[in-house]
């Protein structure tokens, strides 16, 4: 790999702590602290993303590069650091947080001029590790690597993964916070993004009343990541907030489109670039349920349930608006922008559903149709992905046989009568299209994946990798890189019943 072009422009612009001290502490008035990854004595590479490496300008992998992939033996031009940010966690102000398991290598620019930030996750403690060790386990690292890449190929804005390596050491974790800690294999993921800047970076500076640095961070962010903003003065900060709100709404629509549940939408886990960031207790939707939360820590309130993700995104934007108010200084503008969020989101949401159903446009009564569909899905616990795959073939199969295959409950004659009635209503609506059935199917196939990376598949993959086997991993990589094709028919099936109550196959804890 070509590591010579990795630089740290962030540390040259903003105030930081250059002591290199990893002791966990408050770091007021700074945006980062320099910190070195720990040295792992016997790392082992599991997977390397050659395509991504070439794309961002790192070029190909050689055996000597393994040290860099876990943070060992870094060249002199790489001066690692972690950033400080704050946030609201489960609706409560948490104060200073920061990169507890993430350490930046820096930024690289590709031959085409694209800039990409690179960071290790799990390479040791930072000042922001909050009484933890900064390590990551294989289990959570496999999940982040595969899911971030799956989301990318689904067409959802996301961070990406460059490599996954074993560290050669054991890490102690209590997966369900049940008082039963166990040793697990340690691992490091290198993840990349245009930027990892979060709502929380801006919240921290505002809370500390560091308004000059806050304005500098806004200027830096707009200049580097929002080229569409050409306005000057105070207007550019307003344009920035409007842009972040729209990107956030668009991201929520994409999550609903593919059935993704983040699980921990704290403000410190929200990207100002509208990227899916921080893959922890996430899940792809199996049986459709607006009240499903993938995070055991989110019970019983279900603040971050699937159906609430748009609402929570708006709540998080309110917190960002409060943080930016000292710079924007226009309460009415901020309130108006936030109040418009709902209309913008729901318009995008309903248009997205039109695409999934193959409708040419949103028509009168379509919203009522969508509500009836949601009720049907929840009442009969129908699989979200498989339902739309079936809908593409409606009329070509026995209704009873096929719907039994995608339901997570027992369907009786009354249930089939309701399903048949709904399908009849769908066919009547399709007849109103001004586009052909073939054009409708093209629309559906572009928006309805054949493959989504379900938690039970990740569970099986992790078990295999822990045994030193990679056959399932290799198949999953092929499947997730081609999500709108059916590469492996056995993956196009509902979650096996044997996994219904297995930890890690549906819900997970924040330690996951």
């Amino acid at each position: 790999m070509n590591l010579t072009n990795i630089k740290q422009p962030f540390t040259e612009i903003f105030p930081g702590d250059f002591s290199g001290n990893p002791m966990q502490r408050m770091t007021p008035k700074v945006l980062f602290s320099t910190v070195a990854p720990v040295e792992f004595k016997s790392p082992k590479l599991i997977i390397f993303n050659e395509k991504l490496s070439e794309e961002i300008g790192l070029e190909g992998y050689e055996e000597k590069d393994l040290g860099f992939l876990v943070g060992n033996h870094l060249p002199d031009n790489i001066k690692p650091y972690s950033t400080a940010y704050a946030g609201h966690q489960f609706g409560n102000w948490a104060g200073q947080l920061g990169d507890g398991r993430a350490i930046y290598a820096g930024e690289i620019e590709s031959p085409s001029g694209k800039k990409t930030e690179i960071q290790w996750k799990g390479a040791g403690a930072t000042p922001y590790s909050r009484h933890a060790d900064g390590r990551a386990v294989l289990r959570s690292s496999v999940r982040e690597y595969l899911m971030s890449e799956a989301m990318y190929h689904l067409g959802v804005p996301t961070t990406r993964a460059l490599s996954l390596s074993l560290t050669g050491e054991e890490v102690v974790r209590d997966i369900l916070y049940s008082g039963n800690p166990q040793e697990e294999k340690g691992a490091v993921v290198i993840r990349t993004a245009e930027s990892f800047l979060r709502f929380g970076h801006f919240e921290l500076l505002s809370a500390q009343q560091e308004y000059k640095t806050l304005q500098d961070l806004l200027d830096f962010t707009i200049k580097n990541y929002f080229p569409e903003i050409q306005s000057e003065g105070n207007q550019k900060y307003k344009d920035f907030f409007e842009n972040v709100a729209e990107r956030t709404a668009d991201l929520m629509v994409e999550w609903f489109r593919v059935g993704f549940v983040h699980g921990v939408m704290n403000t410190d886990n929200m990207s100002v670039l509208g990227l899916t960031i921080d893959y922890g207790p996430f899940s792809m939707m199996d049986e459709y349920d607006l009240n499903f939360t993938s995070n055991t820590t989110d019970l019983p309130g279900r603040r971050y349930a699937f159906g609430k993700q748009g609402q929570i995104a708006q709540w998080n934007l309110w917190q960002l608006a409060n943080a930016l108010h000292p710079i924007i200084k226009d309460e009415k503008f901020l309130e108006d922008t936030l109040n418009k969020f709902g209309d913008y989101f729901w318009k995008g949401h309903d248009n997205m559903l039109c695409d999934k159903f193959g409708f040419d446009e949103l028509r009168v009564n379509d919203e009522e149709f969508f509500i009836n569909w949601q009720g049907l899905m929840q009442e009969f616990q129908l699989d979200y992905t498989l339902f739309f795959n079936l809908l593409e073939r409606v009329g070509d199969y026995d209704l009873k046989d096929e719907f039994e295959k995608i339901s997570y409950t027992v369907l009786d004659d009354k249930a089939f009568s309701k399903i048949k009635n709904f399908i009849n209503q769908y066919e009547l609506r399709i007849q109103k299209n001004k586009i052909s059935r073939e054009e409708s199917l093209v629309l559906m196939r572009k928006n309805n994946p054949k493959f989504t990376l379900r938690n039970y598949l990740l569970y099986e993959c992790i078990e295999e990798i822990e045994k030193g086997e990679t056959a399932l991993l290799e198949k999953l990589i092929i499947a997730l890189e081609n999500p709108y094709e059916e590469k492996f028919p056995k993956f196009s099936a509902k979650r096996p019943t044997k996994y219904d109550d297995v930890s890690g196959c549906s819900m997970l804890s924040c330690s996951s």
Side-chain angles (χ1 to χ4, degrees):
M1 291 187 293
N2 177 18
L3 307 178
T4 58
N5 292 330
I6 296 177
K7 301 176 182 178
Q8 296 78 38
F10 192 84
T11 65
E12 297 171 1
I13 297 172
F14 295 104
D17 178 340
F18 289 89
S19 68
N21 182 1
M23 183 183 75
Q24 293 151 38
R25 63 194 187 278
M26 301 298 291
T27 59
K29 299 183 182 295
V30 304
L31 263 178
F32 67 90
S33 297
T34 58
V35 60
V38 297
E39 293 281 335
F40 297 111
K41 295 180 180 178
S42 53
K44 180 182 178 182
L45 179 66
I46 297 174
I47 189 168
F48 181 78
N49 194 332
E50 291 277 0
K51 295 176 184 176
L52 177 60
S53 184
E54 293 283 351
E55 177 187 320
I56 66 177
L58 280 176
E59 302 176 0
Y61 171 79
E62 299 177 27
E63 192 171 336
K64 64 180 177 63
D65 296 323
L66 177 57
F68 169 74
L69 298 185
V70 294
N72 289 355
H73 314 301
L74 301 177
D76 291 341
N77 63 294
I78 296 180
K79 300 175 175 61
Y81 63 97
S82 291
T83 65
Y85 51 79
H88 286 80
Q89 298 191 322
F90 295 92
N92 299 307
W93 176 243
Q96 177 186 291
L97 297 167
D99 295 314
R101 284 191 292 174
I103 300 175
Y104 287 77
E107 180 186 86
I108 190 169
E109 185 172 343
S110 72
S112 66
K114 179 183 178 183
K115 294 179 180 179
T116 302
E117 289 183 345
I118 301 169
Q119 63 177 214
W120 299 279
K121 185 174 181 180
T126 79
Y128 314 109
S129 293
R130 302 185 290 284
H131 309 295
D133 57 16
R135 266 70 164 182
V137 295
L138 176 64
R139 166 175 46 85
S140 62
S141 302
V142 170
R143 286 172 54 79
E144 172 137 10
Y145 183 101
L146 291 178
M147 195 65 215
S148 60
E149 284 301 294
M151 292 286 271
Y152 170 77
H153 290 286
L154 283 165
V156 181
T158 180
T159 60
R160 296 194 64 187
L162 178 70
S163 66
L164 170 63
S165 306
L166 288 166
T167 62
E169 65 174 23
E170 298 294 307
V171 178
V172 176
R173 289 290 183 270
D174 185 353
I175 184 173
L176 291 177
Y177 303 136
S178 59
N180 296 297
Q182 296 181 357
E183 286 190 341
E184 300 186 49
K185 294 181 186 296
V188 171
V189 170
I190 287 189
R191 58 185 186 178
T192 72
E194 185 179 8
S195 172
F196 287 93
L197 282 170
R198 308 148 185 267
F199 289 16
H201 284 103
F202 299 87
E203 285 187 282
L204 176 68
L205 293 173
S206 188
Q208 294 180 346
Q209 298 183 11
E210 294 292 323
Y211 300 136
K212 172 63 169 60
T213 307
L214 175 61
Q215 186 166 344
D216 289 344
L217 183 60
L218 279 166
D219 289 339
F220 171 86
T221 306
I222 293 167
K223 178 182 177 181
N224 286 278
Y225 311 117
F226 292 81
E228 63 271 37
I229 296 178
Q230 296 294 316
S231 49
E232 298 291 337
N234 193 254
Q235 185 59 44
K236 71 177 179 180
Y237 305 127
K238 292 182 178 181
D239 291 345
F240 168 77
F241 184 71
E242 282 187 323
N243 200 306
V244 172
E246 289 185 2
R247 290 192 190 199
T248 302
D250 291 342
L251 180 64
M252 295 303 105
V253 170
E254 285 297 293
W255 285 5
F256 279 107
R257 179 177 69 84
V258 300
F260 177 77
V261 190
H262 187 281
V264 59
M265 286 179 63
N266 298 328
T267 59
D268 54 293
N269 293 336
M270 297 293 292
S271 159
V272 293
L273 271 62
L275 306 176
T276 312
I277 194 170
D278 282 356
Y279 289 89
F282 65 80
S283 180
M284 297 302 290
M285 185 68 65
D286 291 326
E287 59 267 47
Y288 184 86
D289 182 1
L290 291 171
N291 205 35
F292 171 69
T293 182
S294 56
N295 185 357
T296 57
T297 315
D298 196 29
L299 297 174
R302 299 178 185 269
R303 175 182 177 84
Y304 299 139
F306 176 64
K308 294 180 182 177
Q309 291 181 132
Q311 171 189 338
I312 291 299
Q314 185 181 37
W315 190 92
N316 289 341
L317 284 163
W318 274 102
Q319 311 320 308
L320 180 61
N322 289 334
L324 299 184
H325 178 259
I327 304 300
I328 294 177
K329 298 177 181 177
D330 188 335
E331 290 180 17
K332 186 177 187 307
F333 161 78
L334 291 170
E335 288 180 1
D336 288 348
T337 303
L338 289 161
N339 289 333
K340 291 175 186 174
F341 177 90
D343 289 340
Y344 182 89
F345 165 76
W346 283 113
K347 181 179 179 180
H349 176 274
D350 289 348
N351 284 331
M352 173 271 295
L353 282 180
C354 282
D355 292 341
K356 288 181 74 67
F357 278 102
F359 297 165
D360 58 343
E361 61 182 356
L362 185 66
R363 295 171 179 267
V364 176
N365 299 325
D366 279 349
E367 289 184 10
E368 181 181 353
F369 174 88
F370 296 150
I371 292 171
N372 292 338
W373 162 73
Q374 289 176 331
L376 184 89
M377 295 290 289
Q378 295 212 180
E379 181 178 0
F380 303 127
Q381 298 178 34
L382 301 179
D383 189 282
Y384 185 60
T385 300
L386 299 180
F387 171 83
F388 284 102
N389 293 169
L390 267 188
L391 210 59
E392 293 176 15
R393 302 186 288 111
V394 68
D396 296 336
Y397 51 78
D398 181 87
L399 201 70
K400 189 174 188 298
D401 288 346
E402 293 299 323
F403 271 86
E404 282 180 340
K405 293 176 185 177
I406 70 167
S407 173
Y408 291 86
T409 189
V410 176
L411 300 178
D412 56 19
D413 289 341
K414 185 177 180 181
F416 283 115
S417 177
K418 285 188 176 182
I419 291 170
K420 185 175 181 180
N421 180 62
F422 175 82
I423 294 298
N424 289 338
Q425 293 301 312
Y426 172 67
E427 290 179 319
L428 288 172
R429 170 60 184 85
I430 282 290
Q431 291 173 15
K432 296 178 182 179
N433 276 353
K434 294 179 181 178
I435 59 176
S436 67
R437 181 54 180 159
E438 187 54 43
E439 289 173 309
S440 174
L441 287 172
V442 168
L443 194 59
M444 295 175 75
R445 289 165 184 159
K446 281 175 57 180
N447 289 280
N448 296 317
K450 295 290 186 294
F451 171 83
T452 56
L453 189 58
R454 299 169 187 264
N455 271 347
Y456 88 86
L457 290 172
L458 282 163
Y459 180 87
E460 290 182 345
C461 183
I462 292 163
E463 284 198 319
E464 282 199 8
I465 293 174
E466 287 178 339
K467 297 174 185 176
E469 302 170 6
T470 59
L472 180 54
L473 172 65
E474 292 163 6
K475 289 181 180 179
L476 290 177
I477 291 291
I478 294 171
L480 67 84
E481 288 181 346
N482 303 276
Y484 298 96
E485 302 174 40
E486 194 173 72
K487 292 291 185 180
F488 301 97
K490 72 174 183 176
F491 295 158
S492 298
K494 66 182 180 183
R495 183 187 65 246
T497 55
K498 67 179 181 179
Y499 290 125
D500 286 353
D501 298 312
V502 176
S503 298
C505 291
S506 181
M507 295 182 69
L508 300 101
S509 72
C510 280
S511 72
S512 302

